[in-house]
Amino acid sequence: MLLVFDVGNTNIVLGVFEGDRLLVDWRMSTNIPRTADEYGISVINLFDKAELDYRDVDAAIVSSVVPNIMYSLEHMIRKYFRVEPIIVGPGVKTGINIKYDNPKEVGADRIVNAVAAHEKYKKPLIIIDFGTATTFCAVGANGDYYGGAITPGIKISADALFERAAKLPRIELVKPNTVICKNTVQSMQAGIIYGYIGQVDYIVKRMKSEMKRLGEDNPFVVATGGLSKLIASESTTIDKIDPYLTLEGLRIIYEKNK
Ligand SMILES: Nc1ncnc2c1ncn2[C@@H]1O[C@H](COP(=O)(O)OP(=O)(O)O)[C@@H](O)[C@H]1O
Ligand SMILES: CC(C)(COP(=O)(O)O)[C@@H](O)C(=O)NCCC(=O)O
Ligand SMILES: [K+]
């Protein structure tokens, strides 16, 4: 079995593959400081609950955009699973040609998403990942990673309003039916969510016209990440939600590097 980790700024998403089948996936908070032993116990508990034997893991791969937890996480994988994890980064084969000014600067999660989407769809792509930040990535039909845009995540936007305006409360991210709202909570919900949908559709439209100039016609738009459903349901530009894109990308990169 292959154990995969996608370390984001809010959540560590982990999953177990048997061949190309994802058997199970779990989420842990990123921002709780944990030792290697604490990670080990948590992950082994999750295996137990899923009635999987952690001793059947024979490989591991990690993608992370949070450097400071990597020491404990890598140490845990070696100590409890007795495998040397592949860490997605420079030197790892991806099949993606990164056109960023400095390829080392691109978040590993963005590369992993590009690998998965390129392998699955083999056409020009725009990939949107709704995480702590929202990332937009333009990928060519032959796997060129052109770059993209980064915006504040939906929850960051909502939290900023609550933290910076005395009379604005913390809100739940649910969509009201209107944008003419008659109370504070719904006004904030409408502004954040419908405003966000507009932002997403506008960036995608601009990205499509820039891609056309690069000879990448009519890109397919794939969304992933914690909050993609909330936006995709009203967006006019998102073609598909692919919740397991990052985990699948990790499996594909493992296959290319084992
Ligand atoms: N299943 C879910 N339903 C609703 N919100 C979620 C879900 N999963 C994650 N979130 C929220 O979505 C945001 C981004 O989460 P995630 O995609 O895990 O980000 P990251 O990759 O940056 O850790 C967080 O604010 C999180 O609380
Ligand atoms: C943009 C990100 C913060 C998104 O991370 P996430 O929201 O998944 O936690 C991450 O991909 C990152 O740190 N990227 C480095 C900068 C870049 O990609 O240009
Ligand atoms: K992510």
Side-chain angles (χ1 to χ4, degrees):
M1 293 191 303
L2 170 68
L3 179 57
V4 304
F5 292 85
D6 161 29
V7 181
N9 285 287
T10 304
N11 285 316
I12 301 173
V13 182
L14 57 154
V16 180
F17 281 93
E18 179 81 71
D20 61 8
R21 205 158 64 89
L22 180 63
L23 300 180
V24 63
D25 66 287
W26 303 293
R27 278 175 184 268
M28 298 167 67
S29 300
T30 306
N31 57 9
I32 301 172
R34 271 175 289 223
T35 65
D37 293 322
E38 287 163 345
Y39 276 122
I41 289 306
S42 302
V43 176
I44 286 169
N45 264 329
L46 292 170
F47 270 81
D48 286 347
K49 265 267 170 270
E51 296 182 0
L52 292 171
D53 188 342
Y54 75 94
R55 282 161 298 209
D56 292 340
V57 168
D58 49 22
I61 180 164
V62 184
S63 146
S64 172
V65 293
V66 188
N68 67 1
I69 73 150
M70 289 303 284
Y71 177 81
S72 299
L73 194 66
E74 284 184 52
H75 186 54
M76 178 279 281
I77 294 168
R78 291 191 194 100
K79 179 168 173 183
Y80 288 87
F81 292 92
R82 307 210 165 272
V83 296
E84 184 58 34
I86 295 174
I87 312 296
V88 178
V92 168
K93 275 180 268 173
T94 60
I96 292 294
N97 179 18
I98 303 172
K99 307 274 199 186
Y100 235 44
D101 292 342
N102 174 4
K104 289 189 192 133
E105 212 175 85
V106 188
D109 53 348
R110 304 176 74 187
I111 304 299
V112 174
N113 286 340
V115 170
H118 174 62
E119 177 98 2
K120 287 175 86 163
Y121 304 108
K122 295 271 187 238
K123 49 182 161 185
L125 293 159
I126 294 173
I127 305 161
I128 313 175
D129 191 334
F130 294 96
T132 310
T134 299
T135 56
F136 298 77
C137 303
V139 179
N142 62 359
D144 282 347
Y145 181 91
Y146 291 111
I150 303 172
T151 75
I154 307 170
K155 194 153 184 301
I156 287 182
S157 311
D159 288 350
L161 269 184
F162 156 74
E163 276 157 22
R164 302 286 290 273
K167 295 189 71 174
L168 299 188
R170 194 186 281 284
I171 55 153
E172 200 188 339
L173 287 173
V174 290
K175 205 162 22 190
N177 291 322
T178 58
V179 288
I180 302 177
C181 299
K182 300 193 189 305
N183 62 63
T184 306
V185 167
Q186 286 187 349
S187 299
M188 292 172 66
Q189 288 169 331
I192 289 164
I193 297 172
Y194 290 110
Y196 217 88
I197 292 163
Q199 167 179 289
V200 165
D201 285 344
Y202 184 71
I203 291 180
V204 170
K205 272 179 204 150
R206 279 198 74 125
M207 220 173 239
K208 281 188 173 176
S209 58
E210 288 179 30
M211 286 179 80
K212 197 180 174 76
R213 274 179 259 137
L214 295 165
E216 305 285 359
D217 277 329
N218 206 13
F220 189 66
V221 183
V222 189
T224 191
L227 295 164
S228 47
K229 267 199 224 104
L230 186 67
I231 301 302
S233 57
E234 292 267 343
S235 150
T236 57
T237 56
I238 294 173
D239 294 311
K240 193 176 168 113
I241 301 182
D242 203 333
Y244 299 113
L245 197 64
T246 320
L247 298 186
E248 283 172 18
L250 285 165
R251 178 189 61 76
I252 295 164
I253 295 174
Y254 167 75
E255 296 293 338
K256 291 184 193 290
N257 290 274
K258 70 182 175 190

